[in-house]
């Protein structure tokens, strides 16, 4: 069989598209071609019809009778842009005919086309707005309806919205509000609502008595189906002070608020609250609204059983809070209702309410107190775990505002606010991070609150916020770190988590550093003096050395300093000895030893061989005194010595009794003791020698009458305890290194109590001087130099020149000699002082 050949469709004659040859019979043929599947035929047919229709109204009527409108309507959504364009052009030319039927079909088609954005642009570019606005005056209601609907769709685009005002669309739209057809009135109001978002349109609307028209609609019960849209237009108009003043002067504002109060329609109530919120963004409008007592209206709306109304009312309250009179009014009445909304199951309601509370409590102690009186603290703390970031951020803001008053701050802390802030600190939202950091700064000024945050793991995420690229987040995080670093435990933990390194990095950047980052770094070091001295080599007179301080030696920036506990666990090495301070009174130590947890001195051992007691001791709980005696005296740890009291109690018992197996009860008891010891907080061993130094200095040095005499006497006292005066040319023969090594070997640890040091060089003596001076009230600084040098600086007031009385001289700074001529004071900057530092 042969291959079947498809028969081609013959194209229409070319002259059929010639507008000069188109007559009624030919026009019918061209209209039928509007159903052709060929795009080229369609485009040419539309073009020919366009030219035919442009010759006169008679031709347009002919095309209408031939059914051209229905076929053209299908082509306005054709996939080919040329076909689409030509079809729209035909509609445009046909719409200029005065025949009502043509207008009806044309506007209907345009309204259908205006749904699509691309078609909107084409209608606008083809000048479709002007004829549509003219047709708003058409006597035919269908033409009016189609025209206003098309205009409503077109003004969704900003270009059309700007153009309609120049084409004077307001008067015909206002006339449509008088129509007897609700659908036309509704479309007119919707169009007015869109275009009245522009200030210029609102002015024109006011000049054409548009406000009166809107108020009349609200006053007319027959138009209750139009009230929502009328309120929306009015809400836009109320943004302008002039319109607000005009409505107030005519009594319209009072009528409006009364209407809202009487209405039971949620959409009307919601739109009214939105209108008030929009208007309240202007300060003059807020004054006018306050004069009309809008607060009562909004408070009543909070009671409506509709979430949308509650949200809108809360937002309006937030806007009105900028007015101080309104803020006071809401504080007296609205706060309990807002607090109640915090427990709503609707997250949007919860967010709107807490935002309102944040605005109400800002710079208002009385409103903050009102929140507490309304039992708002607990729901606020719970809101810190809300789903919406806005709710979390503003809950933190309210708690921050409340924390400015100490009684409220304590109450907030008692509800676990610091623990609850841990999660917001981990948020990925910058506003949440910022507000959470600020809340930590506000609440963290009490030691208990800082301990709660530390125990809840909140310091880690707080330190992470220091890395933020958001300036506000970074600043508030620095502020919070500064506050949290107010006690040593928290400061040490912050350093361990890397806060010190990050703050140093921030302060090196001119673009990232701020006053809070600088203050945070200083505060962090001031409450971690061991880190400060090791890193910066300087302690001021205000940096008072307390128990637990240790001198690790100089470290480079960025190097983390291990804790004293961690250092005490390390094996003995040949590194520089770590000198620590712990002058704890004997009664304190005895109290610790007598605790039921059996927190004996065993916990504070510095010997790694004893402090890491390991599982082998737990499995073998019998320790024979004979075995303990077999340990060489030189290798006994500080723990072994501290246990001598316990050994003495066992000393008189016979060997057989000592070697008896401990019964089950004793084993259980001893295991419990071991567990208690491990769980107890680690403490460094007490240095009773240092304690005696301090007591002796207090008795002998404090009674001296002048600070100068006290400084000299203390210098001589320190030198006497650490090997006495050393001749300059025999300094190298002063074998302090060997002495320190012997102590380390005796303790089997690099960590050495300063009281053990009997041969001390510059840095040992300077540290001891600073420690005792801080305890007895002599102000001095401690400075680290090079090559094991360190010295103390004191400020003393020199005597007045002879014969001059009543002259108050400024204090002079001196370096205290502790090595060669103990007690000799060298003026800062003098040759002898410089030599002392560099010998």
């Amino acid at each position: 069989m042969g291959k079947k050949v498809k028969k081609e469709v013959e194209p229409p004659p070319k002259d059929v598209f010639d507008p000069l040859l188109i007559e009624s019979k030919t026009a019918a043929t061209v209209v039928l071609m509007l159903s052709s599947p060929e795009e080229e035929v369609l485009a040419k047919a539309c073009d020919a019809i366009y030219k035919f229709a442009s010759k006169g109204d008679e031709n347009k009527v002919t095309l209408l009778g031939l059914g051209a409108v229905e076929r053209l309507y299908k082509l306005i959504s054709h996939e080919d842009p040329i076909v689409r364009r030509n079809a729209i052009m035909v509609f445009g030319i046909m719409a200029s005919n005065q025949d009502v039927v043509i207008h009806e079909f044309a506007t209907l088609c345009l309204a259908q086309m205006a749904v699509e954005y691309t078609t909107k642009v084409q209608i606008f570019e083809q000048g479709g707005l002007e004829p549509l606005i003219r047709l708003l005056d058409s006597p035919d209601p269908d033409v009016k309806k189609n025209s206003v609907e098309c205009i409503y769709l077109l003004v969704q685009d900003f270009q059309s919205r700007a153009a309609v005002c120049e084409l004077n669309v307001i008067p015909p739209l206002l006339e449509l509000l008088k129509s007897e057809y609700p659908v036309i009135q509704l479309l007119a109001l919707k169009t007015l609502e869109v275009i009245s978002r522009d200030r210029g349109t609102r002015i024109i609307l006011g000049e054409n008595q548009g406000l009166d028209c809107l108020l009349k609609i609200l006053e007319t019960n027959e138009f209750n189906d139009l009230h929502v849209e009328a309120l929306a237009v009015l809400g836009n108009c109320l943004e302008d002070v002039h319109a607000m003043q005009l409505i107030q002067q005519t009594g319209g504002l009072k009528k409006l608020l009364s209407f809202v109060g009487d209405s039971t329609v949620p959409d009307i109530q919601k739109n009214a609250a939105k209108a008030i919120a929009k208007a309240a963004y202007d300060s003059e409008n807020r004054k006018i609204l306050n004069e009309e007592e809008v607060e009562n209206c909004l408070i009543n709306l909070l009671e409506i059983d509709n979430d949308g109304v509650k949200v809108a009312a809360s937002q309006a309250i937030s806007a009105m809070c900028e007015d101080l009179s309104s803020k006071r009014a809401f504080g007296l009445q609205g706060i309990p209702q807002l607090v109640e909304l915090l427990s709503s199951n609707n997250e949007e309601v919860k967010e709107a309410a807490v935002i309102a509370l944040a605005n109400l409590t800002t710079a208002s102690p009385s409103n903050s107190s009102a929140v507490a009186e309304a039992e708002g603290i607990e729901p606020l703390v719970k809101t810190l775990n809300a789903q919406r970031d806005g709710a979390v951020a503003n809950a933190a803001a309210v708690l921050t505002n409340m924390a400015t008053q100490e009684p409220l701050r304590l109450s907030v802390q008692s509800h676990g606010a610091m623990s609850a802030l841990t999660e917001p600190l981990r948020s990925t939202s910058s506003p949440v991070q910022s507000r959470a950091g600020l809340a930590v700064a506000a609440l963290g000024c009490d030691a208990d609150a800082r301990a709660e945050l530390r125990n809840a793991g909140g310091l880690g995420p707080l330190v992470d916020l220091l890395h933020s690229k958001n300036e506000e987040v970074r600043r508030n995080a620095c502020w919070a770190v500064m506050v949290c670093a107010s006690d040593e435990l928290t400061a040490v933990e912050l350093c361990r988590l890397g806060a010190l390194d990050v703050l140093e990095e921030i302060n090196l950047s001119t673009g990232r550093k701020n006053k809070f980052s600088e203050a945070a770094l200083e505060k962090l070091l001031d409450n971690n003096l061991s880190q400060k001295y090791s890193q910066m080599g300087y302690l001021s007179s205000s940096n008072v050395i307390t128990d637990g301080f240790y001198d690790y030696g100089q470290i480079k920036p960025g190097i983390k300093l291990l804790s004293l506990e961690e250092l005490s666990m390390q094996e003995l090495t040949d590194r520089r000895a770590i000198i620590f301070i712990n002058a704890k009174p004997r009664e304190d130590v005895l109290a610790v030893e007598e605790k039921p947890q059996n927190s004996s001195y065993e916990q504070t051992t510095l010997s790694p061989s004893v402090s890491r007691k390991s599982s082998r001791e737990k499995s073998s709980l019998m320790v024979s005194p004979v075995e303990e005696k077999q340990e060489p005296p030189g290798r006994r740890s500080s723990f072994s010595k501290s246990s001598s009291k316990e050994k003495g109690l066992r000393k008189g018992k016979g060997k057989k009794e000592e070697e008896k197996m401990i019964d089950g009860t004793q084993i259980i008891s001893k295991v419990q003791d071991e567990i208690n010891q491990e769980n107890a907080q680690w403490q460094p061993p007490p240095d009773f020698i240092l304690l005696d130094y301090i007591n002796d200095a207090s008795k002998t040095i404090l009674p001296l009458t002048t600070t100068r005499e006290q400084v000299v006497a203390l210098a001589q006292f320190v030198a006497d305890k650490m090997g006495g005066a050393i001749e300059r040319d025999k300094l190298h023969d002063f074998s302090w290194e060997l002495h320190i090594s012997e102590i380390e070997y005796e303790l089997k640890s690099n960590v050495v109590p300063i009281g053990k040091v009997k041969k001390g060089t510059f840095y040992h003596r300077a540290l001891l001087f600073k420690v005792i001076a801080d305890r007895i009230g002599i102000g001095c600084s401690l400075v680290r130099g090079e090559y094991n040098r360190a010295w103390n600086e004191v400020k003393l007031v020199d005597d007045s020149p002879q014969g001059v009385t009543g002259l108050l001289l400024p204090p002079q700074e001196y370096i205290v000699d502790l090595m060669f001529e103990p007690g000799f004071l060298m003026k800062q900057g003098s040759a002898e002082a410089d030599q002392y530092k560099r010998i």
Side-chain angles (χ1 to χ4, degrees):
M1 291 178 66
K3 197 171 185 180
K4 189 175 181 180
V5 179
K6 183 179 179 181
K7 185 177 180 180
E8 294 184 2
V9 178
E10 293 185 5
K14 291 185 179 180
D15 56 0
V16 80
F17 297 118
D18 188 343
L20 297 176
L21 300 178
I22 294 182
E23 298 177 356
S24 297
K25 186 182 290 186
T26 320
T29 304
V30 176
V31 170
L32 289 174
M33 289 179 184
L34 293 176
S35 300
S36 172
E38 301 290 335
E39 294 173 354
E40 184 179 0
V41 172
L42 291 173
K44 288 183 177 181
C46 288
D47 186 52
I49 291 174
Y50 174 82
K51 292 174 181 177
F52 176 72
S54 62
K55 293 163 79 173
D57 290 344
E58 186 178 343
N59 288 353
K60 296 172 186 175
V61 175
T62 299
L63 290 170
L64 180 64
L66 293 172
V69 173
E70 290 84 351
R71 289 179 169 83
L72 286 167
Y73 175 68
K74 294 178 182 178
L75 296 181
I76 60 178
S77 58
H78 196 278
E79 61 182 9
D80 184 76
I82 298 175
V83 174
R84 244 185 357 256
R85 181 197 65 192
N86 290 354
I88 292 171
M89 289 173 64
V90 175
F91 270 120
I93 194 67
M94 290 182 71
S96 62
N97 182 37
Q98 298 301 313
D99 191 282
V100 173
V101 179
I102 293 292
H103 290 163
E104 181 183 348
F105 276 101
T107 52
L108 177 62
C109 292
L110 288 173
Q112 295 295 323
M113 291 190 300
V115 175
E116 296 292 332
Y117 173 76
T118 53
T119 318
K120 285 180 189 177
V121 175
Q122 289 178 330
I123 294 173
F124 175 77
E125 291 176 349
Q126 294 295 327
L129 271 175
E130 187 172 2
L132 284 168
I133 292 172
R134 283 203 308 268
L135 290 175
L136 292 176
D137 295 327
S138 172
D140 185 86
D142 289 326
V143 174
K144 286 182 178 180
K145 182 261 180 186
N146 293 340
S147 299
V148 72
E149 183 176 7
C150 188
I151 293 171
Y152 168 69
L153 294 170
L154 290 173
V155 294
Q156 305 298 321
D157 180 64
F158 75 96
Q159 287 181 315
S160 297
R161 197 158 57 242
V164 291
C165 291
E166 298 177 3
L167 296 171
N168 201 26
V169 75
I170 298 296
L173 284 175
L174 291 175
E175 281 298 316
L176 292 182
L177 295 179
K178 302 173 185 177
S179 171
E180 60 183 8
Y181 297 98
V183 65
I184 294 177
Q185 294 175 305
L186 187 64
L187 286 168
L189 283 172
K190 285 187 173 182
T191 306
L192 284 170
E193 192 279 327
V194 175
I195 63 176
S196 62
R197 297 171 191 171
D198 177 71
R199 188 173 184 275
T201 307
R202 294 196 294 267
I203 294 172
I204 297 172
L205 191 60
E207 292 173 350
N208 286 272
Q209 286 74 48
L211 299 177
D212 292 337
C213 292
L214 294 169
L215 286 171
K216 285 179 182 177
I217 290 174
L218 293 177
E219 292 172 359
T220 307
N221 290 332
E222 297 175 18
F223 296 153
N224 57 3
D225 55 335
L226 303 176
H227 287 170
V228 173
E229 285 71 23
L231 266 176
V233 181
L234 201 56
N236 291 341
C237 296
L238 292 180
E239 292 184 42
D240 292 328
V241 177
H242 176 71
M244 177 69 80
Q245 291 171 339
L246 187 62
I247 293 176
Q248 185 190 32
Q249 290 167 3
T250 59
L253 186 56
K254 194 176 291 293
K255 290 180 182 178
L256 174 62
L257 295 177
S258 176
F259 166 75
V260 173
D262 295 338
S263 176
T264 57
V265 181
D267 283 345
I268 290 176
Q269 296 165 328
K270 180 173 64 177
N271 275 20
K274 287 182 177 179
I276 293 169
K278 285 182 181 179
Y281 284 111
D282 184 272
S283 59
E284 290 298 321
N285 282 347
R286 288 195 295 270
K287 290 180 182 177
I288 294 172
L289 289 168
N290 175 250
E291 290 171 3
E292 297 295 333
E293 297 182 346
V294 73
E295 296 84 5
N296 293 332
C297 175
L298 294 174
I299 291 170
N300 290 334
L301 291 180
L302 290 177
E303 304 284 354
I304 301 300
D305 188 19
N306 181 279
D307 288 342
V309 176
K310 290 175 180 177
V311 169
S314 299
Q315 291 170 343
I317 290 173
S318 295
M320 285 298 299
C321 282
E322 293 294 323
D323 183 80
L324 293 179
S325 298
S326 292
K327 182 179 281 191
R328 285 193 292 270
F330 287 125
L332 295 172
Q333 301 179 59
I335 284 179
Q337 291 92 325
L338 290 169
V339 167
E340 187 177 345
L341 295 184
L342 294 179
S343 302
S344 171
N345 293 326
N346 186 306
E347 291 294 323
E348 190 177 1
V349 171
K350 189 183 299 183
E351 181 181 31
V354 77
I355 290 173
L357 287 172
N359 288 311
L360 281 169
T361 55
T362 298
S364 179
S366 60
N367 283 354
S368 295
S369 299
V371 172
E373 290 169 6
E375 299 182 353
I377 294 177
E378 184 175 349
L380 280 168
V381 172
K382 289 180 179 178
T383 306
L384 292 174
N385 293 316
Q387 296 175 13
R388 286 176 169 248
D389 289 339
V392 176
N394 284 280
V398 179
L399 295 173
T400 301
N401 295 337
M402 298 178 73
T404 58
Q405 301 175 70
E406 185 175 1
L408 298 186
R409 185 179 70 246
L410 296 175
S411 182
V412 169
Q413 291 168 354
S414 69
H415 283 81
M418 290 299 262
S419 298
L421 283 167
T422 301
E423 283 306 312
L425 289 173
R426 292 191 176 98
S427 172
T428 56
S429 165
S430 293
V432 173
Q433 293 172 340
S434 177
R435 296 289 182 87
L438 200 58
V440 170
L443 296 168
C445 48
D446 297 301
D448 291 343
R450 294 192 293 270
E452 181 183 337
L453 183 68
R454 189 173 65 244
N455 295 334
L459 295 181
L462 178 60
V463 172
D464 291 339
L465 294 186
L466 295 174
H467 295 281
S468 175
K469 294 180 181 179
N470 183 290
E471 184 178 356
E472 184 180 340
V473 172
R474 196 167 58 247
R475 184 187 69 238
N476 289 348
C478 290
W479 192 349
V481 168
M482 180 190 73
V483 172
C484 289
S486 297
D487 65 74
E488 187 175 353
L489 281 175
T490 310
V492 170
E493 180 65 11
L494 285 168
C495 288
R496 188 188 69 80
L497 293 168
L500 196 64
D501 303 335
V502 183
L503 288 169
E504 286 175 339
E505 181 186 343
I506 290 174
N507 289 330
L508 289 174
S509 168
T510 54
R512 297 172 64 205
K513 75 173 181 179
N514 53 66
K515 296 295 183 183
F516 289 107
S517 66
E518 294 172 342
L521 179 62
E522 184 177 352
K523 194 69 171 286
L524 203 58
L525 290 173
D526 284 345
N527 286 284
N528 188 1
L529 295 184
S530 301
Q531 178 83 40
K532 180 176 183 178
Y533 188 50
S534 291
Q535 187 166 316
M536 303 182 71
Y538 178 78
L539 295 180
S540 69
S541 57
S542 62
N543 297 141
V544 177
I545 294 177
T546 57
D547 293 336
F549 175 89
Y550 57 100
D551 177 11
Y552 181 84
Q554 189 71 35
I555 61 172
K556 296 179 180 179
I559 302 298
K560 289 186 179 180
L561 185 64
L562 297 177
S563 67
L564 186 59
E565 180 181 6
E566 291 169 324
L567 291 169
S568 70
M569 297 299 179
Q570 294 179 345
E571 298 287 349
L572 176 62
T573 64
D574 58 356
R575 63 145 286 129
R576 176 188 186 277
I578 300 157
I579 308 299
F580 77 91
I581 308 299
N582 188 25
K584 187 170 290 185
R586 285 179 174 82
E587 54 269 22
D588 291 354
V589 176
L590 290 173
V592 171
E593 289 180 348
E594 291 169 3
K595 283 185 178 180
Q597 289 91 349
N598 194 25
S599 302
S600 69
Y601 187 52
E602 182 174 349
Q603 295 172 29
T604 62
T605 177
L606 295 178
S607 170
S609 62
V610 176
S611 30
R612 291 193 299 272
K613 294 183 73 170
S614 78
S615 59
R616 77 172 186 275
E617 283 189 84
K618 293 180 182 179
S619 61
S620 176
L621 296 175
M622 295 183 296
V623 181
S624 169
V626 175
E627 292 173 356
E628 291 181 353
K629 285 183 180 180
Q630 288 174 351
E631 183 177 348
R635 296 187 60 83
R636 291 178 65 187
S637 67
S638 56
F639 162 63
S640 301
K641 295 180 179 180
S642 67
S643 302
S644 58
K645 185 187 294 184
E646 183 180 339
K647 294 175 193 174
L649 296 174
R650 299 196 302 252
K651 205 166 185 180
K653 298 181 180 180
K655 184 175 182 180
K656 291 181 180 179
E657 183 180 352
E658 291 171 356
E659 293 179 351
K660 284 182 178 179
M661 295 292 292
I662 303 174
D663 61 24
T665 304
Q666 290 174 309
I667 292 176
I668 294 172
S669 175
K670 201 155 189 177
V671 168
Q672 186 61 50
D673 288 345
E674 290 281 346
I675 294 171
N676 290 335
Q677 288 175 21
E678 289 181 0
N679 292 337
Q681 186 178 356
W682 185 90
Q683 293 291 334
D687 187 347
F688 294 133
I689 298 174
L690 174 60
L691 180 62
D692 290 339
Y693 288 171
I694 294 170
N695 291 335
D696 292 346
S698 300
K699 294 174 184 176
T700 59
I701 297 172
L702 273 182
L704 298 177
T705 56
T706 67
T707 304
R708 184 183 294 270
E709 290 175 334
Q710 290 176 341
V711 169
V712 171
L714 180 57
Q716 294 169 348
F717 179 88
V718 168
D720 181 60
K721 301 300 181 184
M722 289 208 161
I726 309 298
E727 296 182 21
R728 291 180 184 272
D729 55 355
K730 293 184 178 180
L731 181 62
H732 297 292
D733 296 333
F734 184 57
S735 56
W736 63 272
E737 295 99 332
L738 178 60
H739 170 65
I740 298 297
S741 297
E742 289 173 348
I743 299 173
E744 290 179 297
Y745 183 75
E746 176 189 349
L747 299 176
K748 291 183 284 185
S749 174
N750 289 112
V751 182
V752 175
I754 197 169
K756 278 274 189 180
V757 180
K758 303 305 179 186
K759 284 188 176 182
T761 188
F762 291 87
Y763 74 89
H764 298 119
R765 299 185 184 206
L767 176 58
L768 182 59
F769 184 92
K770 168 71 172 167
V771 170
I772 299 176
D774 286 345
R775 300 297 174 102
I776 65 175
I778 299 175
C780 76
S781 60
L782 175 62
V783 185
R784 190 195 305 281
E786 296 179 345
Y787 307 111
N788 295 319
R789 297 293 185 273
W791 57 87
N792 302 101
E793 298 171 347
V794 295
K795 289 185 178 180
L796 301 171
V797 178
D798 293 336
D799 295 332
S800 301
Q802 193 171 3
V804 180
T805 57
L807 179 63
L808 185 61
L809 297 175
Q812 299 291 321
E813 197 168 70
Y814 292 90
I815 304 297
V816 183
D817 188 344
L818 300 174
M819 289 293 292
F820 309 115
E821 298 179 48
F824 179 60
L825 302 178
M826 301 164 281
K827 191 166 287 190
Q828 184 73 279
S830 64
E832 52 194 4
D834 293 341
Q835 185 182 16
Y836 184 83
K837 297 175 186 178
R838 297 189 181 95
I839 288 176

